[in-house]
């Protein structure tokens, strides 16, 4: 292992979770991360889903006691005109809401609702806004308002679960 340099950040898992929910110096995209192989003994990428990397990153955060990462940009992510980040589909909305539900249920089961309530609620609200923006830019033949509304209902139900965990 190399020594941590000044531009490295080492955080405990709760601080890292806050960072990935709020996207401060960290994100859920896995293509810019290195993982110990043993982490994947506890869970696997979910095949067949859009945003499977979102699930993997948040579940990784549950599996570790601390995380070290660089603040230096060493990876450039190219967003194409037809990428999942810029176009919408019914499946995109349902997968996002479904995987967010799996993540949040795992976090709530671990008793993390109260310490992360602010960050989780912010993530839900931002996710709803992002879905609405993607919907507005999308081809009406590829995405339905009903799919968007169903995903938003699922996300709002998650917000209710987080709020109940704090009471």
């Amino acid at each position: 292992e190399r020594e941590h340099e000044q531009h490295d950040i080492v955080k405990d898992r709760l601080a890292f979770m806050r960072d990935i929910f709020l996207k401060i110096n960290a994100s859920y995209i896995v293509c810019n991360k290195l993982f110990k192989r043993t982490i994947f003994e506890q869970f696997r990428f979910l095949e067949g889903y859009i945003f499977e990397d979102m699930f993997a990153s948040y579940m990784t955060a549950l599996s570790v006691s601390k995380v070290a990462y660089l603040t230096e940009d060493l990876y450039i992510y190219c967003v194409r005109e037809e990428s999942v980040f810029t176009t919408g589909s019914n499946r995109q909305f349902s997968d996002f809401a479904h995987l967010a539900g799996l993540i949040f249920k795992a976090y709530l089961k671990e008793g993390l609702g109260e310490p992360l309530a602010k960050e989780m609620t912010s993530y839900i609200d931002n996710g709803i806004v992002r879905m609405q923006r993607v919907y507005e830019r999308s081809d009406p033949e590829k995405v339905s308002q009903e799919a968007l509304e169903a995903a938003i209902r699922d996300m709002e139900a998650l917000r209710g679960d987080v709020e109940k965990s704090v009471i």
Side-chain angles (χ1 to χ4, degrees), residues 82-96:
E82 294 294 320
S83 85
V84 70
F85 289 105
T86 58
T87 60
S89 70
N90 293 338
R91 183 172 162 224
Q92 178 183 351
F93 296 142
S94 64
D95 281 5
F96 182 82

Side-chain angles (χ1 to χ4, degrees), residues 4 6 12 36-37 40-41 43 45 74 83 88 92 94 110-111 115:
H4 295 293
Q6 280 186 313
D12 65 34
K36 283 187 176 182
R37 184 183 310 187
F40 294 103
E41 294 169 359
F43 72 93
F45 280 83
L74 300 174
S83 85
Q92 178 183 351
S94 64
E110 290 286 321

Side-chain angles (χ1 to χ4, degrees), residues 7-9 23-27 32 69-77:
H7 58 276
D8 292 359
I9 297 175
K23 295 186 180 175
I24 300 170
N25 291 326
S27 76
N32 63 356
Y69 51 96
L70 303 173
T71 57
E72 183 181 359
D73 290 332
L74 300 174
Y75 184 88
I76 298 172
Y77 187 83

Side-chain angles (χ1 to χ4, degrees), residues 39-53:
I39 289 173
F40 294 103
E41 294 169 359
Q42 299 171 27
F43 72 93
R44 297 271 183 219
F45 280 83
L46 294 179
E47 293 183 28
Y49 287 93
I50 300 172
F51 304 115
E52 75 283 357
D53 54 345

